[in-house]
Amino acid sequence: MAKQYPGPHAEAPVEHKGQRWWRVMCLTGLDYFSTLGYQPGIAALAAGLLSPVATIVLVIVTLLGALPVYRRVAKESPHGEGSIAMLERLLSFWQGKLFVLALLGFAATDFMITITLSAADATAHLVENPHLTSALSGKQVLITLLLVALLGGVFLKGFSEAIGLAVFLVAVYLALNVVVVVNGLWHVLESPNLVTDWTDALTAEHGNVIAMIGVALVVFPKLALGLSGFETGVAVMPHIEGDPEDTEEKPTGRIRGARKLLTTAALIMSCFLITTSFITTLLIPKAAFEPGGPANGRALAYLAHENLGNTFGTVYDISTIAILWFAGASAMAGMLNLLPRYLPRYGMAPDWARAVRPMVIVLTLIAFLVTWLFDASVDAQGGAYATGVLVLISSAAIAVTIAAHKAGQRRWRAGFAVIAAVFLYTTGVNIAERPDGVKIGACFIGGIILVSFLSRLRRAFELRVTDVVLDEAAERFVRDYTHRTMRLIANEPNTRGLAEYQEKKREVRAHHDIPADIDLVFVEVTVRDPSEFESVLDVHGEVLHDRYRVLTLESSSVPNALAALLLTVRDRTGQLPHIYFEWTEGGPVGHFLRFFLFGQGEVAPVTREVLREAEPDRSRRPRVHVG
């Protein structure tokens, strides 16, 4: 049936042509590939001489753990909601909503810190450049704020511009890194003693291969930033061009493109992680990695200057600064796809949150606040970033394990369960070592929950119905009142026996002085999931006991459903309907909480308030009677 009375939050269809998968890979690759700017240095500080071995462990976890998990996520949730949507299906009512809000808090931590940390790291590379140190020293916060503002400006200009810039930046950055890596490997081949000295030092320090692997596994959680990019890779799926025959229910081409994106990005990054950790460990003195050292946080840039000259090194610096600055673009794209899919639907954000540009402004202002609070420090934000990444990957691993279990795929279930255990261990170790990440994540979660509930409280009296669907009997009942007033009795059903309807009808006639010759129609609302904010109103008509016409409704809120039904009757018949209630015993505060949480409470005054919000013209507003 065609939509009759759409609510104020019904989504309009939006045409989206999409981009080739490799172009979208460059967008998510901004986050993923840009970690080369600091990952080799982090590995060297965490593992020392074992850095290449620990990095191989990271690559194995990437290719055999994170990649299979997110390829399954892409199949199960092809519209960009990711593992959050998969886990949402397991829980209903308020516990489900709170669980999703908590995961959104960690997602916001991951994505927002990606924006601010990458901009801060770009600033650090800029300020530490020998030619600019004296001029820019002490201005880190101001420069970072400027970079964040420029990022927001790109998204205000348009998403296609962001994609085009991402392709250019990634292509240049990866090409320059190929030059640095090839040059570094050439230096190692020219000096075979470097490899011999390294292996001798490894044996002297750790004894045997088993001990080396054991230590590498212990330090692996500290390298977890090298796993970033998978969640954003799924979050930007809606921007991937699908096949012409794709549908929203079965976007086969989009899923195939997303899997190509994830696999290609993981393979490229794995090659770079192994080779860069190898050359930086062998070619850079240990002291240079320490805080304040020339290779701290910029190991590859150090090699670019040392081995290829200052001209090439400066070009490499510019490319690194650019991609670190724009790494927040993938995170911004992820949030622009993720948050509007949940918060407005829950009633926990204004309707304008579905629009791109207002959301860009809000997210940019939040990034300003985070930058100011953390004084544009990369180290201060590292714990929160790693925590957000690991929590989301762990939730994805758990989600696909459950999906495989439900599909009866025993081998996949066992494999995903092992992967989930690995990531849960990694998350636990990371939290134990850097609890500040959980604290920052908790702040994001608390902020999202607080703002969400305040928004829902403010929007409680909106119509909240996206569509009204009448079955054949209900349609016939309404059509009978095209030339006369339809009078409805709001009834909370009990046994639905004959005596119940007789007594209810007698009371309403007596309390409201309704003549016996005026017929009445009962209306009954069944609340399904009161935590849902918007819903489709299904109206069914039936005749009970051969004499009483009853309209039954299914919705998430009784007052809002009744108001939507009354407005639909008005629009269908051209007559103002009347509805009759009885007062409910109890205090107004308790009744409001029941309405806010469970969609019930004192229905009569709330129904009238919803009608007042939906129809400002009193002469066109359905009549509400209470006795």
Side-chain angles (χ1 to χ4, degrees):
M1 175 169 284
K3 184 176 293 187
Q4 300 296 333
Y5 198 88
H9 314 298
E11 291 189 43
V14 179
E15 290 189 7
H16 183 72
K17 184 179 179 181
Q19 302 274 348
R20 300 291 298 275
W21 67 266
W22 58 268
R23 289 175 63 85
V24 181
M25 184 194 73
C26 290
L27 181 65
T28 188
L30 291 168
D31 176 19
Y32 200 14
F33 301 146
S34 68
T35 57
L36 290 172
Y38 46 82
Q39 181 71 16
I42 291 175
L45 283 175
L49 293 172
L50 268 176
S51 173
V53 180
T55 301
I56 289 173
V57 173
L58 173 65
V59 168
I60 291 173
V61 173
T62 297
L63 297 180
L64 301 183
L67 180 59
V69 164
Y70 278 95
R71 282 174 61 90
R72 181 64 177 257
V73 171
K75 177 183 177 182
E76 298 284 343
S77 182
H79 302 297
E81 303 99 323
S83 59
I84 295 178
M86 296 174 65
L87 292 171
E88 181 193 24
R89 301 181 196 126
L90 302 176
L91 296 171
S92 59
F93 299 99
W94 283 109
Q95 62 266 36
K97 301 298 182 293
L98 292 174
F99 178 73
V100 169
L101 290 177
L103 285 181
L104 285 175
F106 281 113
T109 303
D110 178 12
F111 293 160
M112 188 58 65
I113 298 297
T114 296
I115 295 173
T116 57
L117 183 145
S118 299
D121 201 22
T123 300
H125 278 73
L126 189 65
V127 172
E128 290 169 9
N129 186 286
H131 303 291
L132 300 173
T133 299
S134 58
L136 302 179
S137 180
K139 300 178 181 178
Q140 285 89 335
V141 174
L142 181 61
I143 296 171
T144 304
L145 290 175
L146 179 60
L147 292 177
V148 171
L150 288 173
L151 178 67
V154 171
F155 274 83
L156 288 175
K157 175 68 176 176
F159 187 79
S160 59
E161 284 77 4
I163 287 279
L165 185 55
V167 172
F168 173 76
L169 290 177
V170 167
V172 171
Y173 183 69
L174 292 182
L176 292 174
N177 274 287
V178 168
V179 174
V180 173
V181 168
V182 171
N183 180 265
L185 292 174
W186 177 256
H187 275 76
V188 172
L189 291 175
E190 281 190 323
S191 305
N193 62 297
L194 290 174
V195 177
T196 304
D197 293 344
W198 173 61
T199 54
D200 290 343
L202 271 181
T203 303
E205 186 174 320
H206 299 288
N208 56 62
V209 175
I210 295 177
M212 294 177 194
I213 296 175
V215 175
L217 291 173
V218 171
V219 302
F220 160 70
K222 296 181 180 180
L223 279 62
L225 290 181
L227 293 166
S228 66
F230 281 101
E231 193 69 30
T232 50
V234 173
V236 298
M237 274 188 70
H239 301 292
I240 297 175
E241 181 183 40
D243 295 334
E245 60 272 16
D246 275 7
T247 64
E248 283 300 302
E249 293 75 23
K250 194 175 182 180
T252 306
R254 181 193 296 171
I255 293 172
R256 185 173 61 253
R259 287 181 159 186
K260 290 180 181 178
L261 180 157
L262 293 168
T263 303
T264 305
L267 290 173
I268 291 173
M269 190 61 177
S270 295
C271 292
F272 274 114
L273 284 173
I274 293 174
T275 53
T276 56
S277 67
F278 181 70
I279 63 175
T280 53
T281 301
L282 269 63
L283 297 178
I284 299 178
K286 181 179 179 181
F289 289 110
E290 299 295 331
N296 180 250
R298 54 190 304 273
L300 294 178
Y302 174 88
L303 288 180
H305 282 275
E306 287 290 315
N307 297 339
L308 294 164
N310 287 330
T311 301
F312 181 88
T314 299
V315 173
Y316 185 87
D317 281 339
I318 294 172
S319 175
T320 303
I321 291 167
I323 196 170
L324 282 169
W325 157 65
F326 208 54
S330 60
M332 182 76 80
M335 283 191 290
L336 290 175
N337 178 63
L338 197 61
L339 295 179
R341 287 183 176 271
Y342 289 98
L343 296 184
R345 179 161 58 87
Y346 291 175
M348 293 178 169
D351 190 45
W352 54 258
R354 300 185 195 271
V356 171
R357 288 179 177 173
M359 279 296 292
V360 169
I361 294 172
V362 170
L363 295 174
T364 302
L365 292 176
I366 295 174
F368 284 171
L369 178 62
V370 172
T371 298
W372 176 70
L373 289 175
F374 290 99
D375 201 29
S377 169
V378 175
D379 293 335
Q381 300 174 72
Y385 185 40
T387 300
V389 169
L390 289 171
V391 167
L392 291 178
I393 293 180
S394 298
S395 69
I398 293 171
V400 297
T401 302
I402 296 171
H405 173 72
K406 288 187 173 182
Q409 301 167 331
R410 298 177 62 184
R411 291 184 179 180
W412 280 111
R413 180 187 64 188
F416 286 137
V418 172
I419 295 171
V422 170
F423 284 119
L424 287 172
Y425 156 77
T426 307
T427 304
V429 171
N430 183 271
I431 291 173
E433 291 185 355
R434 293 187 284 183
D436 56 310
V438 172
K439 295 176 183 177
I440 296 169
C443 291
F444 273 98
I445 293 171
I448 284 179
I449 291 177
L450 177 62
V451 172
S452 296
F453 274 92
L454 289 176
S455 175
R456 178 146 179 159
L457 189 66
R458 187 182 64 82
R459 299 178 61 190
F461 298 111
E462 291 181 2
L463 198 60
R464 296 167 50 177
V465 171
T466 58
D467 198 0
V468 179
V469 180
L470 283 71
D471 69 3
E472 184 178 351
E475 186 84 52
R476 187 171 62 253
F477 290 175
V478 172
R479 193 166 52 243
D480 286 345
Y481 291 89
T482 304
H483 302 293
R484 57 195 175 108
T485 300
M486 187 175 193
R487 299 179 186 272
L488 300 165
I489 300 176
N491 182 49
E492 185 175 355
N494 189 8
T495 63
R496 305 193 84 195
L498 176 61
E500 177 183 339
Y501 291 101
Q502 287 177 331
E503 180 62 20
K504 185 73 173 182
K505 196 169 186 179
R506 186 193 63 77
E507 288 180 354
V508 168
R509 289 193 186 278
H511 293 163
H512 299 281
D513 196 23
I514 300 176
D517 60 337
I518 294 180
D519 59 341
L520 300 168
V521 178
F522 288 90
V523 57
E524 300 171 348
V525 181
T526 300
V527 176
R528 294 174 298 183
D529 182 355
S531 64
E532 288 290 340
F533 185 75
E534 299 175 346
S535 63
V536 173
L537 187 63
D538 294 311
V539 185
H540 304 279
E542 55 185 321
V543 178
L544 296 182
H545 310 294
D546 297 324
R547 66 180 72 179
Y548 298 116
R549 287 189 291 182
V550 182
L551 293 174
T552 59
L553 286 59
E554 292 183 354
S555 182
S556 58
S557 170
V558 175
N560 306 76
L562 292 175
L565 175 65
L566 292 168
L567 291 170
T568 300
V569 170
R570 180 202 66 183
D571 294 342
R572 294 285 191 92
T573 65
Q575 307 289 329
L576 286 182
H578 292 238
I579 189 167
Y580 299 90
F581 296 92
E582 289 183 354
W583 287 114
T584 305
E585 296 296 326
V589 175
H591 279 307
F592 178 75
L593 289 176
R594 285 186 64 205
F595 162 67
F596 182 73
L597 295 174
F598 306 114
Q600 301 182 51
E602 181 57 85
V603 176
V606 179
T607 302
R608 193 264 178 190
E609 181 62 20
V610 174
L611 286 169
R612 191 182 68 83
E613 290 277 346
E615 179 51 78
D617 187 351
R618 294 182 64 180
S619 65
R620 302 192 70 248
R621 194 181 302 156
R623 306 295 189 242
V624 176
H625 307 270
V626 190

